[in-house]
């Protein structure tokens, strides 16, 4: 892939990748931007590994997902949830919290369930495409979607 082809591919999918990462990060746009930047740098550095027979979007989503997982593994939380709830939000206005119950529920899903739900319902990927992105079996993706829907239903009706 030439540098120009890479740029064109990134320009065509960067907004969707950022939306995907914002959802994975449960509404944190700063973290999503950092992960998106890291995703595109990783993709550029490994574009020799991209094979024209696979879709660029599938390849870039896999990199984004792995970047997100690596970030989550490296996080060490030092504050309790009660302490975090008392912190004042200085960057966002109240209308930014419109989807907060959904983000809170999504954050409580396992990373695999969250990934499957986001790719299927937000990005419109079919089960076989999600299996390719996540390097999972079709049956595993179906189970993740089923469990994720059940967990979301329970989490969103708790209140």
């Amino acid at each position: 892939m030439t540098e120009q082809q890479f740029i064109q591919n990134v320009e065509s999918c960067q907004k969707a990748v950022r939306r995907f990462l914002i959802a994975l990060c449960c509404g944190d746009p700063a973290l999503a931007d950092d992960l998106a930047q890291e995703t595109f740098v990783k993709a550029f550095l490994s574009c020799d590994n991209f094979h024209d027979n696979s879709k660029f979007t599938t390849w870039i989503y896999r990199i984004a997902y792995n970047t997100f997982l690596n970030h989550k593994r490296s996080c060490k939380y030092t504050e309790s949830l009660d302490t975090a709830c008392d912190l004042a939000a200085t960057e966002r206005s109240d209308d930014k919290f419109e989807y907060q119950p959904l983000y809170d529920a999504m954050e409580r899903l396992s990373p695999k369930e969250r990934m499957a739900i986001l790719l299927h319902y937000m990005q419109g990927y079919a089960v076989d495409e999600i299996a390719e992105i996540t390097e999972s079996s079709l049956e595993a993706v179906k189970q993740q979607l089923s469990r994720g829907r059940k967990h979301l239903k329970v989490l969103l009706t708790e209140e």
Side-chain angles (χ1 to χ4, degrees):
M1 169 184 319
T2 67
E3 185 175 332
Q4 187 59 36
Q5 289 172 318
F6 179 80
I7 291 169
Q8 289 172 341
N9 283 329
V10 167
E11 286 175 348
S12 71
C13 72
Q14 68 184 4
K15 287 182 182 178
V17 169
R18 185 177 179 275
R19 273 192 315 270
F20 171 66
L21 286 167
I22 285 175
L24 275 177
C25 296
C26 297
D28 185 342
L31 177 57
D33 287 342
D34 289 345
L35 294 177
Q37 183 175 5
E38 188 176 340
T39 295
F40 292 121
V41 168
K42 286 179 180 179
F44 181 75
L45 294 174
S46 63
C47 66
D48 291 340
N49 295 332
F50 175 71
H51 304 291
D52 291 338
N53 60 348
S54 63
K55 289 171 54 176
F56 182 83
T57 54
T58 302
W59 182 68
I60 201 77
Y61 274 97
R62 183 178 305 135
I63 294 171
Y65 178 62
N66 288 333
T67 301
F68 168 76
L69 287 179
N70 289 339
H71 169 76
K72 290 300 273 184
R73 287 182 193 122
S74 69
C75 286
K76 297 202 182 338
Y77 297 102
T78 57
E79 296 294 332
S80 71
L81 184 58
D82 293 331
T83 303
C85 288
D86 293 333
L87 295 175
T90 57
E91 297 179 6
R92 301 177 180 167
S93 63
D94 289 341
D95 62 342
K96 294 284 186 177
F97 293 101
E98 180 179 357
Y99 299 106
Q100 198 59 45
L102 177 60
Y103 287 139
D104 291 342
M106 292 291 289
E107 191 168 29
R108 294 173 62 188
L109 296 178
S110 74
K112 289 182 178 184
E113 289 174 355
R114 186 182 321 149
M115 171 73 160
I117 294 287
L118 293 173
L119 285 174
H120 188 68
Y121 292 105
M122 280 190 64
Q123 303 298 332
Y125 280 95
V127 173
D128 59 330
E129 293 172 311
I130 297 170
E132 186 179 342
I133 290 169
T134 61
E135 298 177 332
S136 303
S137 69
L138 287 173
E139 192 57 38
V141 172
K142 289 177 184 177
Q143 287 179 348
Q144 292 159 6
L145 283 169
S146 176
R147 288 180 187 146
R149 283 189 296 264
K150 287 178 186 174
H151 289 145
L152 276 177
K153 183 177 180 181
V154 169
L155 292 168
L156 290 172
T157 56
E158 289 178 354
E159 295 206 11

